[in-house]
Structure formats: C-alpha cells, structure tokens
C-alpha cells in the first residue's frame, strides 16, 4: 500500500511547518479558523497540506481531521490537493478499519468515498495546482505527484478486484451496474490496472474481461484512448487463450474482437506502437488452439 503521508510533497510541507514559516505555509490553527474565507486556489492547497502534515506526524488525528478533508473537497472539487488527499484520507481510514475488523459495510463505505474522490481527480482536465515552500535553502514547488495519484488509483481498483474475486463482496464498479457511461482519461488507468491484476491472478480472466469491456465501451477507439484499447486487447487475448481448448466458440468470439482491433490499428499511423509481430504470433496460436480443440 502506498504511503500517502510520506511523499515528497508532504516532507517539504512538514519542513515548512516545523520551521514556522507562516509566509510559506499557514498554521493548522489559522487554517481551521479561516476555513470559510479560503478560496479554492493556493490558500486552499496550503490548508489541505497542513492537515496532511498533521496526520503524517500524529496518525490518530486522521479521524478528527477527516471532516476537514471532506469539506475542502466538497468546497473546491477542482483543487488537486483537496480531492486527492480526501481520497487518500478515506482509503487510509478504510485500511485501519480492516485492521480493527470493522464490518464489511463500514469498510466499503470508506473505500467508495475514496474511490469517488479519486475518480473526480482523474476526470479533471488538467492538474496544475501548486504552491512554493522551502526545502532546505531552496524554494520548491509543492504539488500532487502524478505517481502518487496513480498509486492511489491502483490501490483502489486492485482492492475492488480483490474484494470481488477473493472475498465475494459485490463491487458494482467491477461487475456492474455502476460502469462509467462516458469516457475520461482515468479509465485508461483502470484498464491497465485490471491487466496488471490479471497478470498476478491467473484464473481471473472472466472478471477482468467483463470489467475492461465495460470501460472500453465507454471510450470509443480514438486518439486519446489508444492506450486503453491496447490494454483491453491484452486482456482479451489472455481470456481467449484461457478458454481456447475448453470453450472454442467463446475463444473464437473474443479473438474476432482482437482481429477487429488489429485491423483498425494497422490502418492507422499507430500500428508500430499498438500491434506487433509478437502479438500476431500469439493471436495465431490462440486461433490454432481453438481450431484443434475437440468440438
């Protein structure tokens, strides 16, 4: 699990706070008292990071500060810090509740809150919120690191796949009906996560394929979604191979979708990136396995 409270942004903010640099980052007390007056720009970003620093130094403060994370995200749904750290706060609480053996419903309530905030983050058109803070003798930009947001999303979607596949806790985002109805850039992340999950969980082809197909349906194949469909077709090929000998008709039906994808790619300038000789060889092997299987 990614350590949300020990990232570079948090370390820099902690240094600023410990140095008492009011001009660089506001104090926790001032933050709480001036909440209503904060706009959704730099002041709000500093506001959130003070709470993050407090949680990093005193983990038990998470429960008391969670309403502040929620309030910031609700007030400023386009602020990177507010939305991302609200997601991090809720998933951290969910993990602690698991350790405390809370009920499934209680844990899932926190997990879904984190997931919704994360989805809102990935639906943003751009991420450019930042502020300056001291790092030693240098002034540096503090922002939500891309790799941190990716790691959080991976933990959330992986968790849902695990809850569904291994523990039988129904996940509407994974098996429906809460699939996305419109495309956004975060869906490419989610399909990639499903493919990586399948790599580590052979036998999960049916679940991963159902999920990836639903997300692919929300994102017609076009310039911004080439990566999503590349990952989707990797899952299709794994699923087709898994049933090629036991269920040849299903394998052939899945392989036909891969062929349609291949033909679209080869007709475009993206062919070198998204189709290769190795992929063609693998597809030929799957089709041969299905053809040679007993009827």
């Amino acid at each position: 699990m990614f350590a949300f409270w020990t990232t570079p942004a948090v370390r820099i903010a902690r240094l600023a706070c410990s140095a008492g640099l009011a001009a660089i980052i506001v104090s926790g007390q001032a933050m709480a008292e001036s909440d209503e007056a904060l706009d959704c720009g730099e002041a709000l970003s500093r506001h959130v990071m003070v709470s993050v620093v407090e949680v990093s130094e005193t983990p038990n403060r998470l429960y008391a500060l969670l309403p502040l994370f929620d309030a910031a995200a609700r007030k400023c749904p386009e602020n990177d810090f507010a939305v991302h750290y609200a997601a991090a706060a809720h998933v951290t609480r969910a993990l602690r509740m698991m350790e405390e053996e809370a009920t499934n419903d209680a844990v899932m309530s926190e997990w879904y809150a984190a997931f919704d905030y994360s989805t809102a983050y990935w639906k943003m058109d751009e991420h450019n919120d930042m502020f300056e803070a001291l790092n030693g003798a240098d002034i540096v930009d503090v922002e939500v690191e891309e790799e941190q947001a990716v790691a959080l999303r991976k933990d959330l979607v992986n968790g849902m796949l695990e809850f569904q596949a291994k523990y039988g806790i129904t996940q509407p985002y994974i098996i429906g009906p809460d699939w996305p109805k419109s495309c956004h850039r975060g869906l490419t992340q989610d399909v990639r996560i499903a493919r990586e999950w399948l790599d580590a969980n052979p036998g999960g082809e049916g679940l991963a394929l159902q999920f990836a197909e639903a997300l692919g349906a929300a994102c017609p194949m076009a310039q911004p979604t080439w990566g999503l469909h590349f990952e989707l077709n990797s899952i299709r090929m794994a699923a087709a191979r898994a049933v090629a000998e036991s269920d040849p008709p299903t394998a052939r039906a899945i392989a036909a979708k891969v062929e349609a994808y291949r033909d679209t790619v080869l007709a475009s300038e993206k062919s070198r990136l998204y189709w290769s000789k190795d992929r063609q060889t693998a597809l030929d092997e799957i089709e041969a396995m299905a053809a040679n299987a007993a009827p």
Side-chain angles (χ1 to χ4, degrees):
M1 179 62 64
F2 196 81
F4 302 115
W5 313 110
T6 58
T7 61
V10 178
R11 289 196 294 272
I12 292 168
R14 186 185 298 118
L15 285 171
C17 283
S18 63
L21 299 168
I24 301 300
I25 187 168
V26 296
S27 72
Q29 182 177 3
M31 173 198 71
E33 292 174 351
S34 62
D35 181 50
E36 292 302 320
L38 292 174
D39 62 21
C40 288
E42 183 176 319
L44 189 281
S45 300
R46 294 175 185 275
H47 165 120
V48 170
M49 288 307 294
V50 168
S51 293
V52 171
V53 169
E54 190 170 349
V55 171
S56 74
E57 295 177 341
T58 310
N60 288 338
R61 288 287 290 154
L62 173 63
Y63 294 92
L65 292 173
L66 194 59
L68 291 179
F69 287 111
D70 282 328
R74 286 195 299 268
K75 177 180 179 180
C76 301
E78 296 297 321
N79 181 283
D80 299 347
F81 291 89
V83 177
H84 171 75
Y85 281 107
H90 278 280
V91 78
T92 301
R93 186 177 185 187
L95 292 169
R96 291 183 187 175
M97 292 172 74
M98 288 182 194
E99 293 175 356
E100 296 163 0
E101 299 184 352
T103 66
N104 287 346
D105 288 346
V107 171
M108 294 287 47
S109 177
E110 295 298 322
W111 204 270
Y112 294 148
F115 178 79
D116 288 344
Y117 283 130
S118 173
T119 298
Y121 179 89
W122 283 103
K123 283 184 175 180
M124 293 182 193
D125 292 333
E126 56 185 14
H127 297 123
N128 53 16
D129 290 307
M130 64 177 62
F131 62 87
E132 292 182 342
L134 284 180
N135 184 19
D138 300 322
I139 296 178
V140 298
D141 291 329
V142 178
E143 59 187 345
V144 175
E145 297 93 349
E146 180 82 357
E147 65 183 32
Q148 182 186 359
V150 170
L152 172 57
R153 189 69 181 184
K154 184 173 181 177
D155 283 338
L156 287 166
V157 176
N158 264 339
M160 288 180 167
L161 287 163
E162 293 284 296
F163 294 144
Q164 181 69 53
K166 298 183 179 179
Y167 303 102
I169 304 174
T170 301
Q171 301 298 306
Y173 183 66
I174 301 298
I175 64 171
D178 292 350
W179 289 319
K181 296 179 174 59
S182 60
C183 191
H184 61 83
R185 70 189 188 97
L187 298 188
T188 298
Q189 292 282 355
D190 291 358
V191 177
R192 182 179 298 114
I193 292 165
R195 193 265 302 160
E196 292 173 350
W197 177 84
L198 179 58
D199 289 346
N201 292 273
E205 291 83 5
L207 180 62
L209 181 61
Q210 179 186 23
F211 174 57
E213 290 282 9
L215 271 55
C219 292
M221 195 165 165
Q223 179 65 30
T225 64
W226 284 101
L228 183 154
H229 287 274
F230 176 83
E231 300 290 355
L232 168 57
N233 279 277
S234 295
I235 294 173
R236 283 173 173 164
M237 292 179 71
R241 182 180 293 277
V243 299
E245 295 178 331
S246 61
D247 188 354
T250 296
R252 284 192 288 269
I254 298 172
K257 292 183 178 181
V258 178
E259 290 174 350
Y261 161 82
R262 175 202 62 195
D263 294 345
T264 300
V265 167
L266 292 179
S268 77
E269 60 183 20
K270 298 288 186 179
S271 58
R272 291 184 179 180
L273 292 174
Y274 295 107
W275 192 258
S276 65
K277 290 182 180 179
D278 289 344
R279 288 211 157 209
Q280 185 60 55
T281 298
L283 180 59
D284 291 342
E285 290 175 354
I286 292 167
E287 292 175 332
M289 290 169 63
N292 295 330

